[in-house]
């Protein structure tokens, strides 16, 4: 009798557990409640100044946003973690600002004139990234048409790779890299090259971004 009561108790507990998780699985997932900021993810560069031209290349170059995959959100978050560990308040030793490490000159082109306000406004930083990417896509529209799908200096050219490299070094440097077939390979102050970004951020879906010569963050 005791065994029967125990068995019924276990069955009831199992059914209750299954019903609970079944109910939870039908709930709408609200992604706005979740953030990757502050998590110790596979960030490739320390917040301390590291010269990538001399640092040991021991980090994993694989995508570290498995749930975002090759989506546009995956693209911008992967780029953000490479730039700043995804932190909105970061200012590096060269004065580049925020989650995506914008220079003050680029921000002025996007209509942002108050760096302090920019650092304290996550929404403005996200708008600036979208606007700058749209602007770069317009400037590089012919190069995207002519080079995507080809190999330059052993690197398969994709639209997302071009846009990531333009974020790093500006669209002019990307044009020089492509049109010289990799000979003119600009490197930033930490030794990161156009070619490295073009390869690192290859194959993401950036069709969400529409070319816009006059794109503004505000």
């Amino acid at each position: 009798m005791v065994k029967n009561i125990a068995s019924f108790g276990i069955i009831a507990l199992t059914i209750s557990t299954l019903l609970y998780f079944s109910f939870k699985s039908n709930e709408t997932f609200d992604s706005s409640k979740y953030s990757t900021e502050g998590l110790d993810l596979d960030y490739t560069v320390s917040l301390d100044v590291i010269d990538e031209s001399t640092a040991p290349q021991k980090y994993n170059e694989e995508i570290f946003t498995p749930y975002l995959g090759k989506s546009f959100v995956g693209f911008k978050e992967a780029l953000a973690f490479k730039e700043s560990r995804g932190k909105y308040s970061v200012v590096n030793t060269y004065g580049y600002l925020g989650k995506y490490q914008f220079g003050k000159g680029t921000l002025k082109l996007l209509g942002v004139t108050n760096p302090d306000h920019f650092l304290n406004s996550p929404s403005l930083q996200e708008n600036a990234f979208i606007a700058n990417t749209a602007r770069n896509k317009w400037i590089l529209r012919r190069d995207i048409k002519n080079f995507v799908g080809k190999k330059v200096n052993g690197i398969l050219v994709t639209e997302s790779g071009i846009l990531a490299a333009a974020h790093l070094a500006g669209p002019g440097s990307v044009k020089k890299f492509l049109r010289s077939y990799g000979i003119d390979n600009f490197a930033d102050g930490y030794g990161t090259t156009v070619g490295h970004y073009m390869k690192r951020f290859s194959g993401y879906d950036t069709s969400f971004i529409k070319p816009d010569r006059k794109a503004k963050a505000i």
Side-chain angles (χ1 to χ4, degrees), residues 126-199:
E126 297 296 338
N127 289 343
F129 179 78
I130 298 295
N132 190 55
T133 306
R135 181 174 171 274
N136 287 338
K137 192 168 182 176
W138 185 87
I139 295 171
L140 292 163
R141 63 196 185 283
R142 292 189 181 89
D143 297 275
I144 290 171
K145 180 179 179 180
N146 293 333
F147 286 96
V148 165
K150 298 179 180 179
K151 284 193 173 182
V152 172
N153 201 20
I155 299 169
L156 178 63
V157 179
T158 66
E159 181 178 284
S160 62
I162 287 176
L163 294 177
H167 183 83
L168 171 75
S173 294
V174 175
K175 285 185 178 184
K176 290 177 181 178
F177 175 84
L178 292 172
R179 296 177 188 185
S180 70
Y181 285 87
I183 294 174
D184 192 336
N185 193 8
F186 172 87
D188 71 0
Y190 301 128
T192 307
T193 64
V194 167
H196 176 74
Y197 258 45
M198 197 166 290
K199 181 179 180 180

Side-chain angles (χ1 to χ4, degrees), residues 15 24 38 66 68 76 113 118 143 145 155 178 190 213:
I15 293 173
K24 294 294 288 182
L68 298 176
K76 76 180 187 69
T113 57
F118 178 77
D143 297 275
K145 180 179 179 180
I155 299 169
L178 292 172
Y190 301 128
R213 179 170 64 93

Side-chain angles (χ1 to χ4, degrees), residues 24-198:
K24 294 294 288 182
S25 65
N26 289 326
E27 290 183 349
T28 302
F29 178 72
D30 183 3
S31 61
S32 66
K33 295 179 182 178
Y34 300 88
S35 171
T36 54
E37 183 172 2
L39 294 179
D40 187 15
L41 300 181
D42 184 14
Y43 177 59
T44 58
V45 180
S46 169
L47 288 181
D48 298 328
V49 176
I50 294 180
D51 185 341
E52 290 186 351
S53 65
T54 58
Q57 300 297 304
K58 294 182 179 178
Y59 53 79
N60 185 0
E61 284 289 330
E62 297 299 318
I63 302 167
F64 51 85
T65 51
Y67 300 106
L68 298 176
K70 289 290 188 175
S71 67
F72 175 73
V73 176
F75 170 72
K76 76 180 187 69
E77 291 303 319
L79 185 57
F81 274 102
K82 184 68 171 71
E83 292 285 334
S84 70
R85 207 178 187 185
K87 294 181 180 293
Y88 291 105
S89 60
V90 170
V91 180
N92 77 2
T93 53
Y94 292 95
Y96 286 82
L97 309 167
K99 180 179 177 180
Y100 301 100
Q101 293 291 278
F102 278 101
K104 293 178 181 178
T106 299
L107 288 177
K108 287 182 180 179
L109 291 174
L110 301 175
V112 179
T113 57
N114 187 329
D116 291 333
H117 174 62
F118 178 77
L119 276 176
N120 288 288
S121 177
S123 62
L124 182 55
Q125 292 190 34
E126 297 296 338
N127 289 343
F129 179 78
I130 298 295
N132 190 55
T133 306
R135 181 174 171 274
N136 287 338
K137 192 168 182 176
W138 185 87
I139 295 171
L140 292 163
R141 63 196 185 283
R142 292 189 181 89
D143 297 275
I144 290 171
K145 180 179 179 180
N146 293 333
F147 286 96
V148 165
K150 298 179 180 179
K151 284 193 173 182
V152 172
N153 201 20
I155 299 169
L156 178 63
V157 179
T158 66
E159 181 178 284
S160 62
I162 287 176
L163 294 177
H167 183 83
L168 171 75
S173 294
V174 175
K175 285 185 178 184
K176 290 177 181 178
F177 175 84
L178 292 172
R179 296 177 188 185
S180 70
Y181 285 87
I183 294 174
D184 192 336
N185 193 8
F186 172 87
D188 71 0
Y190 301 128
T192 307
T193 64
V194 167
H196 176 74
Y197 258 45
M198 197 166 290

